[in-house]
Amino acid sequence: MSATLNQSSGAAHTRIYAYGAARGELSVPNDDLVGPIDSSDEWIRQRTGIITRTRAVPETTAVELATDAAAEAVARSGVDPAAIDAVIVATVSNPKQTPSVSAIVADRIGANPAAAYDVNAACAGFAYAVAQADALIRAGAAHYAVVVGAEKLSDIVDPADRSISFLLGDGAGAVVIGPSDTPGIGPTVWGSDGSKADAVGMNHTLVDFRDGKAPWPTLRQEGPTVFRWAVWEMVKVARQALEAAGITADDLAAFVPHQANMRIVDEFAKQLKLPESVVIARDIETTGNTSAASIPLATHRLLEEHPELSGGLSLQIGFGAGLVFGAQVVVLP
């Protein structure tokens, strides 16, 4: 007779308990960036909606930003840090290939020895990490999880690049996720289109840089390609997330798309035919595009400015390099 394995199971439902945020210490206006790209404040505002972006001082890394955001989320959640048994950090800007940002953050917030790993899904990273935390808790592999999106994109920017450099900012946003009596995180609609991987991503490898074959790798994008993909294809994903959650746009209190470009945000809202009652996140105006950090940062700001959104439904969707995407509906804490 063969032995029978035990298999874990967890809570039936999960929810987000609280948000935390950390932005770069510097507010960088458009005028500070226009020289190397031969542009103007007016051009950047018209093309992107950005007035200023937050950037970190040289001494601050993605690790510090992630730690500060996670610490705030944990403090607001009321969960004992020692009870957190999973920490997931979404980032493309870990200053080291290893160790992970998440392992350091877990230790610094008092969650040692929580399971910890990083997710590299660019601007969709936060949505990916939320999906994983939700699944881990419902599977019984964790009870409480901290999810962080953290980026210091100013480290991987070429100031003379007109395709993306003026868009990017630094910051981190975090949430605490745990069990719930009712559903608080809807099904995730996610995927990728690697056939268009060259549309946005790093222009060189670290190996080529090491061997002197290329300069320091920086982010580049094919703006028109990314814009068309984001507007037309990601609207379909957003609709699928609403359908999977069993709601309509009329049920939403907030819409938080990845803060890639204000024109994309506005076109998104138009295509989804959102009612006027839906509050739309436009954090990009003063924070910039912070990749994996943009959704939690934008949501944190919305909740500060609109506390009445608490308990409402928010549609969040991330999309970015490697043409990865992820969307889900969540209940705001």
Side-chain angles (χ1 to χ4, degrees), residues 149-216:
E151 304 288 9
K152 190 184 180 187
L153 299 176
S154 58
D155 283 344
I156 49 176
V157 162
D158 175 359
D161 168 51
R162 286 178 61 90
S163 76
I164 199 171
S165 62
F166 54 89
L167 290 169
L168 305 178
D170 302 334
V175 294
V176 174
I177 297 176
S180 174
D181 293 333
T182 56
I185 299 175
T188 298
V189 177
W190 56 355
S192 66
D193 182 2
S195 69
K196 297 184 180 67
D198 290 339
V200 55
M202 305 302 289
N203 61 344
H204 302 296
T205 70
L206 287 173
V207 173
D208 285 342
F209 172 70
R210 179 199 64 191
D211 294 343
K213 297 178 180 178
W216 176 251

Side-chain angles (χ1 to χ4, degrees):
M1 179 178 177
S2 60
T4 300
L5 292 175
N6 292 328
Q7 193 165 27
S8 63
S9 60
H13 310 295
T14 66
R15 65 181 176 90
I16 294 173
Y17 287 30
Y19 282 80
R23 288 176 169 83
E25 300 91 342
L26 307 175
S27 178
V28 181
N30 293 334
D31 283 337
D32 285 5
L33 305 178
V34 297
I37 60 173
D38 190 24
S39 186
S40 67
D41 170 64
E42 181 182 11
W43 184 85
I44 293 176
R45 290 191 190 213
Q46 289 179 346
R47 297 285 294 238
T48 71
I50 297 174
I51 298 173
T52 62
R53 74 280 296 137
T54 59
R55 289 190 173 172
V57 297
E59 298 77 19
T60 300
T61 70
V63 177
E64 279 75 44
L65 293 167
T67 300
D68 290 348
E72 181 188 351
V74 172
R76 288 188 170 194
S77 73
V79 174
D80 183 349
I84 294 166
D85 36 25
V87 176
I88 309 171
V89 175
T91 185
V92 299
S93 46
N94 185 349
K96 297 180 179 179
Q97 295 295 100
T98 191
S100 67
V101 174
S102 54
I104 299 171
V105 169
D107 179 61
R108 290 184 179 179
I109 65 173
N112 202 340
Y117 62 96
D118 291 355
V119 172
N120 183 339
C123 308
F126 182 75
Y128 269 49
V130 167
Q132 292 178 38
D134 166 59
L136 289 171
I137 293 167
R138 289 190 292 111
H143 193 66
Y144 294 107
V146 169
V147 169
V148 187
E151 304 288 9
K152 190 184 180 187
L153 299 176
S154 58
D155 283 344
I156 49 176
V157 162
D158 175 359
D161 168 51
R162 286 178 61 90
S163 76
I164 199 171
S165 62
F166 54 89
L167 290 169
L168 305 178
D170 302 334
V175 294
V176 174
I177 297 176
S180 174
D181 293 333
T182 56
I185 299 175
T188 298
V189 177
W190 56 355
S192 66
D193 182 2
S195 69
K196 297 184 180 67
D198 290 339
V200 55
M202 305 302 289
N203 61 344
H204 302 296
T205 70
L206 287 173
V207 173
D208 285 342
F209 172 70
R210 179 199 64 191
D211 294 343
K213 297 178 180 178
W216 176 251
T218 57
L219 279 169
R220 294 288 197 276
Q221 73 169 350
E222 296 175 6
T225 300
V226 174
F227 185 90
R228 288 191 298 270
W229 174 75
V231 170
W232 302 113
E233 297 303 319
M234 292 305 97
V235 166
K236 298 175 187 176
V237 173
R239 292 186 181 126
Q240 290 171 19
L242 291 172
E243 183 178 358
I247 66 168
T248 68
D250 291 335
D251 297 313
L252 292 174
F255 175 48
V256 187
H258 164 51
Q259 303 292 288
N261 180 310
M262 191 75 80
R263 292 166 61 205
I264 292 176
V265 172
D266 290 340
E267 188 63 28
F268 243 137
K270 178 181 176 182
Q271 293 294 325
L272 287 173
K273 299 179 180 178
L274 297 177
E276 292 185 4
S277 59
V278 176
V279 180
I280 302 170
R282 292 187 170 88
D283 189 47
I284 189 171
E285 185 176 59
T286 54
T287 300
N289 178 342
T290 54
S291 189
S294 77
I295 289 174
L297 279 176
T299 305
H300 182 275
R301 175 160 283 168
L302 276 191
L303 289 171
E304 287 190 330
E305 296 176 348
H306 300 276
E308 72 277 7
L309 294 176
S310 178
L313 297 176
S314 175
L315 169 62
Q316 57 187 34
I317 176 168
F319 47 89
L323 299 203
V324 294
F325 57 86
Q328 64 252 130
V329 177
V330 302
V331 177
L332 295 170

